[in-house]
Amino acid sequence: MKKDFCLHGILLCLGIAYCSHITTTRRGKSFHGHHEKGKEGQVLHRSKRGWVWNQFFVIEEYTGPDPVLVGRLHSDVDSGDGKIKYILSGEGAGTIFVIDDKSGNIHATKTLDREERAQYTLMAQAVERETNKPLEPPSEFIVKVQDINDNPPEFLDEKYHATVPEMSSVGTSVIQVTASDADDPTYGNSAKLVYSILEGQPYFSVEAQTGIIRTALPNMDREAKEQYHVVIQAKDMGGHMGGLSGTTKVTITLTDVNDNPPKFPQSTYPMSVSEAAVPGDEVGRLKAKDPDLEENAAIKYNILDGDGAEIFEITTDYQTQEGVVKLKKTVDYESKKFYSMKVEAANVYPDPRYFSRGPFKDTATVKISIEDADEPPIFLEPSYTLEVDENAPPDTRVGRVHARDPDAAGTAIRYSIDRNTNLDRYFNIQDDGVIKTTKALDREEIAWHNISVIATEASHNSYANAVPVTIKVLDKNDNAPEFPKPYEAFVCENVQPHKKFFSITAVDKDDTANGARFDFSLLPEMSNFTIRDQRDNTANLYVGRVSFSRQKQKMHLLPIVISDGGSPPMSSTNTLTIRICSCSTDENIISCNDEPLSLNAGLSTGALIAILACIVILLVIVVLFVALRREKKEPLIVFEEEDIRENIITYDDEGGGEEDTEAFDIATLQNPDGINGFIPRKDIKPEYQYSPRDLGIRPAPNSVDVDDFINTRIHEADNDPTAPPYDSIQIYGYEGRGSVAGSLSSLESASTDSDLDYDYLQNWGPRFKKLADLYGSKDTYEDDS
């Protein structure tokens, strides 16, 4: 602090002395004006200045107790008697800079910072104190802020991150760091920076003038140390003592290069696999270590040699960089129990710059042992084809299948036939694998049988294997040849003798070996026709010498014998239907239809036509008659004035009960039209008159026996053939004899009210109290009288 204060004082004194010198010099010049001759002898007068000065300087960051004297203004017209007044205006006048209006001394009242403002422009003027009359024109001057080293260097970034490949040579550029200084670079060394490294030796260095960081050691290995922390310092004043400094941190990371070969951590890798494994199953994994990263650590595995090179394969799992050993072919514990092979691991992308460090590959031995597994039985053949004669008796031997246990134990084998392939149970199999029939087989029904035989270990049912067995049924000549379809031939009555009229062929269900050759022949008694075998499984039929007549025989059934060439041969008799037809002279068929039997009785064609015409006329008459009868039928719905069923007759006579025969006429319940025995219907007109049957004793029209009347009407309705096709409801207001309900009629009641007893009304409760009081009081009154 004392050093800074002394420095500021010295600089201030120098500034004042310099200003005084300049002022004195200019003042001396201003006192002595002179004349100059202009052009053409004209005399020019230079304006006389009372005071002139140069730039003023003030030290920044001055912190002394008194204001800093910047400089002094003095005019030639100032005689020192105080009549001159100095005025200061411009930037900072009155706030930062103040002037003594008598002496002209200028002071800085505040601490100035050059980094905020480097100079101020002011205006000075001398005026008469009393009148403020300018004595001289205003004069401009500049106050410059003198820089001091008050700002330390600052780096553009607080922290830097950089990378450099490992194994780089010495002097490899890593990164450049840059710092700045706010001080004036044109004045002194306040802004002259020098870079140095504080931390990070001896691995890195920095250029003092540029700030470029470079490697300082060769062969730096990322696998040994990946990251470094470096501290860089920037110092001003050219790095000399007393300068200010700033620091920054730089994190430098070594990037990976492929400088390490893969290495197996062990020389031998034991593995095992079951003999039940299938090709493609994984046997085991091995991994070579490579400390490099990403593609520099990519490894490819190969099998170099060994007895397992044909049985196994190795692939690379690029996610884990492991070698995956897989089964390439099936193995058999009973055949070979151990395999060995040599495996190589090599870098996929080797870097030629580092080949001097050795081969970028390594080898190891893989030993694989085969484990015994309980395997299912194995058939000696992948499939079997057997033969059996058709029609062979049950329990005929067809053939044999054989399976063995591949395991060392040699377990016994049991055989069975898959039921899904032997639904009809044509075959069975014995314990020794012999297949036999259970019933006679028909080749014409099924020529081939496909079954599946299952072999199972006797001690373990889950270990089984199946083999397809095809059984061919051998043909036997057990089917006679026959027509492929029913044949029907046509022969004209006037056919020429010995003329061919039809060709036939035959088929045989047996195999061609037993039915390829057919012989055709006729029975000896068939003299009307002849047959000629064409020797190609066809035959032609010819008529004999006789003529044919449809009147005598319109159809002939010709038996034909067909024999095959089997051993022994089979034959059958097939019937050919031959129809005799009417033909024209050129033997074109006119008619072959069957004629009615009555033609033989002597009816002519004209008579037959007449009969048919009569039948048609009769049919037409019947149709017309039926149509007319339908038009004359009455409608089913009768108008309301004709339908007596819809007329309601009301009688307001209560009647005298069941036994009262004088209150109403019972005849109103009777149909007046039915008295004579005829009951016409209005809904359907009867097709014939209905005569009621003798139903026994019928009640008279005015009979009082309503029960008998109603029963009679019910019986007639049940037996009436002219009854309508729908239900009819007949209501009769009669309860019948022996009704448990008493009569409500008053006809059988007593003639006077005095005979009635109303004492029971007293027991009927409060609702009948009024009646009980009326009739009870009357009785009481009569008794009192």
Side-chain angles (χ1 to χ4, degrees):
M1 187 66 183
K2 292 181 178 181
K3 293 180 178 180
D4 293 340
F5 181 75
C6 295
L7 181 61
H8 291 168
I10 295 171
L11 293 176
L12 179 60
C13 294
L14 292 176
I16 293 173
Y18 178 76
C19 292
S20 300
H21 172 74
I22 295 299
T23 301
T24 304
T25 305
R26 293 298 177 93
R27 186 183 298 121
K29 291 181 180 181
S30 64
F31 283 143
H32 303 281
H34 60 277
H35 299 278
E36 294 181 1
K37 291 184 179 180
K39 295 180 180 181
E40 298 178 357
Q42 182 180 0
V43 179
L44 299 179
H45 298 276
R46 175 179 293 176
S47 60
K48 177 183 175 183
R49 292 189 60 132
W51 43 283
V52 179
W53 58 88
N54 219 341
Q55 293 181 347
F56 291 158
F57 294 89
V58 61
I59 301 299
E60 68 169 336
E61 302 295 343
Y62 175 73
T63 58
D66 299 324
V68 179
L69 178 62
V70 178
R72 182 180 181 185
L73 302 180
H74 187 76
S75 176
D76 292 339
V77 297
D78 187 4
S79 60
D81 54 3
K83 293 181 180 181
I84 302 301
K85 178 181 177 180
Y86 296 97
I87 299 174
L88 185 66
S89 63
E91 298 174 345
T95 57
I96 300 176
F97 302 100
V98 295
I99 188 171
D100 187 349
D101 59 355
K102 293 181 179 181
S103 63
N105 292 332
I106 301 174
H107 291 83
T109 61
K110 296 183 179 179
T111 301
L112 303 181
D113 188 359
R114 190 202 66 84
E115 285 70 37
E116 292 182 1
R117 188 159 188 166
Q119 65 182 19
Y120 297 87
T121 301
L122 299 173
M123 189 75 67
Q125 190 175 18
V127 298
E128 189 176 354
R129 183 176 295 274
E130 293 181 359
T131 62
N132 286 331
K133 180 180 178 181
L135 300 178
E136 292 182 357
S139 182
E140 182 181 84
F141 67 96
I142 296 174
V143 177
K144 284 192 173 183
V145 182
Q146 189 69 45
D147 181 52
I148 64 173
N149 189 17
D150 59 341
N151 291 280
E154 294 182 358
F155 285 91
L156 300 181
D157 295 323
E158 183 179 356
K159 292 183 179 180
Y160 291 85
H161 296 274
T163 59
V164 64
E166 65 172 334
M167 310 302 293
S168 296
S169 58
V170 176
T172 301
S173 175
V174 179
I175 190 175
Q176 182 178 14
V177 295
T178 303
S180 63
D181 196 321
D183 293 327
D184 188 0
T186 63
Y187 180 77
N189 294 328
S190 298
K192 184 177 182 181
L193 304 181
V194 174
Y195 298 94
S196 62
I197 182 168
L198 300 182
E199 295 181 14
Q201 303 94 341
Y203 307 103
F204 300 95
S205 63
V206 63
E207 292 183 357
Q209 305 301 325
T210 62
I212 297 176
I213 302 175
R214 300 181 182 274
T215 58
L217 285 181
N219 300 329
M220 285 192 294
D221 192 0
R222 184 199 65 83
E223 289 73 30
K225 186 176 181 178
E226 183 177 7
Q227 198 172 75
Y228 297 85
H229 297 284
V230 179
V231 178
I232 302 297
Q233 174 184 267
K235 190 174 183 181
D236 60 10
M237 299 300 291
H240 294 95
M241 184 178 296
L244 302 179
S245 63
T247 59
T248 186
K249 293 183 179 180
V250 182
T251 301
I252 301 175
T253 303
L254 299 183
T255 58
D256 184 61
V257 297
N258 191 6
D259 59 335
N260 293 281
K263 293 290 184 182
F264 283 108
Q266 57 194 67
S267 59
T268 304
Y269 289 86
M271 297 181 184
S272 62
V273 62
S274 172
E275 64 174 340
V278 297
D281 287 351
E282 182 177 322
V283 178
R285 293 182 174 229
L286 69 162
K287 182 177 181 180
K289 293 184 177 181
D290 190 332
D292 294 326
L293 299 177
E294 298 177 354
E295 67 176 16
N296 294 327
I299 301 174
K300 183 178 181 180
Y301 296 88
N302 296 300
I303 298 177
L304 298 181
D305 55 18
D307 54 2
E310 298 296 329
I311 307 299
F312 302 94
E313 62 181 355
I314 188 169
T315 59
T316 302
D317 185 348
Y318 290 102
Q319 296 294 330
T320 61
Q321 296 300 322
E322 293 178 314
V324 183
V325 179
K326 294 183 179 180
L327 186 64
K328 187 177 180 181
K329 297 180 180 179
T330 57
V331 293
D332 186 10
Y333 173 82
E334 288 72 25
S335 300
K336 188 174 179 62
K337 300 180 178 60
F338 184 81
Y339 292 90
S340 177
M341 56 187 179
K342 190 175 183 180
V343 177
E344 178 190 70
N347 274 143
V348 179
Y349 307 103
D351 193 336
R353 295 177 299 173
Y354 306 103
F355 281 171
S356 60
R357 300 173 66 91
F360 282 77
K361 60 181 66 178
D362 195 16
T363 58
T365 302
V366 177
K367 296 183 178 180
I368 303 174
S369 58
I370 309 302
E371 297 177 350
D372 188 20
D374 195 356
E375 302 174 83
I378 299 176
F379 284 94
L380 300 184
E381 300 291 338
S383 63
Y384 292 86
T385 301
L386 307 177
E387 295 179 349
V388 62
D389 292 334
E390 73 170 325
N391 301 325
D395 205 33
T396 299
R397 178 189 172 100
V398 179
R400 183 185 180 188
V401 297
H402 183 70
R404 64 176 182 85
D405 185 7
D407 300 324
T411 308
I413 305 299
R414 292 186 303 179
Y415 300 93
S416 62
I417 299 177
D418 187 355
R419 294 188 59 181
N420 294 326
T421 62
N422 190 30
L423 296 176
D424 295 327
R425 305 292 182 88
Y426 287 114
F427 308 97
N428 61 16
I429 190 168
Q430 300 177 354
D431 293 339
D432 57 354
V434 175
I435 301 175
K436 293 186 177 182
T437 61
T438 59
K439 59 182 73 174
L441 305 179
D442 187 0
R443 190 203 68 85
E444 286 71 39
E445 181 179 353
I446 303 177
W448 293 85
H449 294 267
N450 297 309
I451 62 175
S452 179
V453 176
I454 301 173
T456 309
E457 289 186 5
S459 60
H460 207 304
N461 292 332
S462 61
Y463 292 98
N465 199 2
V467 67
V469 178
T470 303
I471 300 175
K472 180 181 180 181
V473 181
L474 301 178
D475 183 53
K476 293 294 184 181
N477 192 21
D478 57 345
N479 291 279
E482 58 186 1
F483 284 158
K485 62 180 179 179
Y487 282 129
E488 188 176 27
F490 301 92
V491 177
C492 294
E493 289 181 308
N494 55 351
V495 64
Q496 296 295 328
H498 306 294
K499 183 177 180 180
K500 172 186 173 183
F501 67 91
F502 199 69
S503 295
I504 60 174
T505 185
V507 294
D508 196 330
K509 295 180 181 179
D510 292 325
D511 196 4
T512 55
N514 293 312
R517 174 72 176 84
F518 299 136
D519 293 328
F520 301 89
S521 62
L522 299 178
L523 297 179
E525 59 269 19
M526 305 305 298
S527 60
N528 293 340
F529 304 95
T530 60
I531 191 170
R532 183 178 302 170
D533 194 341
Q534 296 299 114
R535 301 300 178 181
D536 58 356
N537 292 335
T538 63
N540 296 329
L541 292 172
Y542 299 87
V543 296
R545 296 181 179 182
V546 298
S547 60
F548 300 96
S549 174
R550 297 184 69 220
Q551 297 293 333
K552 295 181 180 180
Q553 188 175 358
K554 59 181 176 297
M555 183 175 65
H556 294 267
L557 300 178
L558 180 62
I560 300 176
V561 180
I562 307 175
S563 302
D564 59 21
S567 178
M570 297 288 291
S571 62
S572 65
T573 301
N574 299 263
T575 302
L576 173 66
T577 301
I578 303 174
R579 296 187 181 275
I580 308 301
C581 303
S582 298
C583 302
S584 60
T585 56
D586 55 355
E587 296 187 357
N588 290 326
I589 297 176
I590 298 176
S591 175
C592 291
N593 296 329
D594 295 338
E595 296 179 355
L597 298 176
S598 59
L599 293 178
N600 295 329
L603 289 178
S604 63
T605 304
L608 181 60
I609 293 174
I611 292 173
L612 293 177
C614 293
I615 293 174
V616 172
I617 293 172
L618 289 175
L619 291 176
V620 172
I621 293 173
V622 170
V623 170
L624 293 175
F625 179 74
V626 172
L628 292 175
R629 285 178 61 86
R630 288 183 177 178
E631 291 180 358
K632 292 181 179 181
K633 284 187 177 182
E634 296 183 4
L636 295 177
I637 300 176
V638 187
F639 296 104
E640 69 177 51
E641 63 268 11
E642 298 178 359
D643 191 0
I644 61 173
R645 292 174 299 174
E646 296 183 0
N647 296 333
I648 301 174
I649 302 175
T650 303
Y651 299 93
D652 296 329
D653 189 358
E654 293 183 357
E658 289 84 350
E659 302 300 332
D660 188 358
T661 60
E662 296 178 359
F664 64 95
D665 187 2
I666 194 65
T668 58
L669 297 176
Q670 299 175 339
N671 189 347
D673 295 333
I675 298 176
N676 298 326
F678 174 69
I679 306 175
R681 315 296 292 194
K682 289 297 184 180
D683 50 359
I684 298 178
K685 187 176 181 179
E687 299 294 337
Y688 57 89
Q689 297 294 330
Y690 168 61
S691 297
R693 300 178 183 177
D694 185 9
L695 299 176
I697 301 173
R698 297 182 58 186
N702 297 325
S703 174
V704 297
D705 192 349
V706 181
D707 188 14
D708 293 340
F709 168 76
I710 293 175
N711 289 333
T712 302
R713 290 295 179 263
I714 293 174
H715 187 75
E716 289 178 356
D718 292 341
N719 295 277
D720 186 2
T722 62
Y726 50 83
D727 294 337
S728 298
I729 301 175
Q730 300 182 12
I731 300 173
Y732 303 96
Y734 177 67
E735 295 182 359
R737 292 187 178 88
S739 175
V740 296
S743 176
L744 298 178
S745 176
S746 61
L747 298 178
E748 296 179 357
S749 303
S751 60
T752 61
D753 294 338
S754 61
D755 296 334
L756 298 176
D757 184 9
Y758 297 100
D759 293 339
Y760 59 86
L761 295 175
Q762 300 291 338
N763 300 325
W764 282 17
R767 295 185 179 182
F768 298 91
K769 185 176 183 304
K770 189 172 184 62
L771 291 176
D773 292 342
L774 290 174
Y775 287 92
S777 62
K778 182 179 178 181
D779 294 342
T780 305
Y781 175 75
E782 290 177 354
D783 293 342
D784 293 341
S785 61

